[in-house]
Amino acid sequence: MASRITPEREAELHGAVLDLLREVGYEALTMDAVAARTKSSKATLYRQWGSKPELVAKALRCTQKVSLAEIDTGSIRGDFAVMIQHSDDDQMAKDTALMRGLSHAVHESPELHKALRELLVDPEITGLQVMLQRAVDRGEIAPDCPAIGFVPHMLIGAFISLPLIEDRPVDRPFLSEFTEAVVFPALGV
């Protein structure tokens, strides 16, 4: 079914969902609250997004400015530089806080876990795999490099560990340093 909601209205709805998530958390977030905040009907929300988990996952997805699969500079170093350049420090801080808040909810809600995997995590992992495969095809990374399959783990680990260890969110300088010190050496680049 084609969306009857304009891209601007959809972005407004997604923003309201994320604001509510920050304010009340996933468990207390209701479609009634989203409808009230956005001056829309619950029927519209359910028709457009299907469920609360899908709405949350799509709202989180909309904060990403570019898909990793779209980045192709001709080198893995260039691809990572563009990926980092497109990262927004303020948005990463907000997303880190949201993901921390959602981590408990994911364990309690299989539907949320599934929606986040399908709509947020899997597309980015696939995009990263495409980026890495192009580097293998260009000869930048050895095809048998054992670290290739662990790059998503390294990056996700960085996002989880930095706030835990240093009590600060991930930002561009950290991502650049982490990539140079950990990811590229692991890939033999």
Side-chain angles (χ1 to χ4, degrees):
M1 174 195 303
S3 172
R4 291 183 276 163
I5 296 177
T6 65
E8 295 79 16
R9 178 68 171 145
E10 187 173 29
E12 178 186 332
L13 288 163
H14 287 155
V17 169
L18 297 177
D19 288 344
L20 278 166
L21 270 174
R22 287 183 197 100
E23 292 168 23
V24 303
Y26 180 78
E27 289 82 5
L29 179 80
T30 65
M31 293 300 243
D32 285 323
V34 174
R37 174 76 58 102
T38 60
K39 296 179 177 62
S40 58
S41 73
K42 275 192 349 183
T44 298
L45 297 175
Y46 280 110
R47 185 172 49 252
Q48 185 70 26
W49 288 280
S51 69
K52 174 176 138 178
E54 286 184 43
L55 176 58
V56 167
K58 286 180 181 173
L60 285 166
R61 179 87 182 139
C62 83
T63 65
Q64 297 176 325
K65 294 181 178 168
V66 65
S67 169
L68 296 181
E70 297 170 5
I71 299 173
D72 186 3
T73 65
S75 77
I76 192 66
R77 286 183 173 277
D79 291 350
F80 269 77
V82 169
M83 177 180 73
I84 292 167
Q85 176 188 357
H86 281 287
S87 301
D88 178 300
D89 288 347
D90 291 334
Q91 191 61 53
M92 282 189 292
K94 290 177 185 176
D95 288 350
T96 299
L98 277 176
M99 294 311 285
R100 192 173 329 143
L102 286 173
S103 64
H104 176 71
V106 165
H107 295 291
E108 299 295 317
S109 171
E111 297 83 14
L112 176 62
H113 183 252
K114 182 178 185 241
L116 287 174
R117 286 280 321 190
E118 289 176 359
L119 300 171
L120 189 64
V121 176
D122 289 348
E124 288 306 296
I125 289 175
T126 299
L128 186 58
Q129 289 168 338
V130 166
M131 186 187 292
L132 292 167
Q133 185 58 51
R134 282 194 303 257
V136 168
D137 294 344
R138 290 189 298 261
E140 294 175 277
I141 300 172
D144 60 348
C145 176
I148 289 175
F150 294 105
V151 173
H153 303 83
M154 287 186 256
L155 295 174
I156 292 169
F159 275 88
I160 293 169
S161 64
L162 185 65
L164 182 66
I165 295 169
E166 297 184 27
D167 197 28
R168 67 182 179 105
V170 172
D171 57 16
R172 283 188 215 162
F174 174 80
L175 282 177
S176 293
E177 290 173 33
F178 183 82
T179 301
E180 285 295 330
V182 178
V183 177
F184 290 153
L187 294 173
V189 176

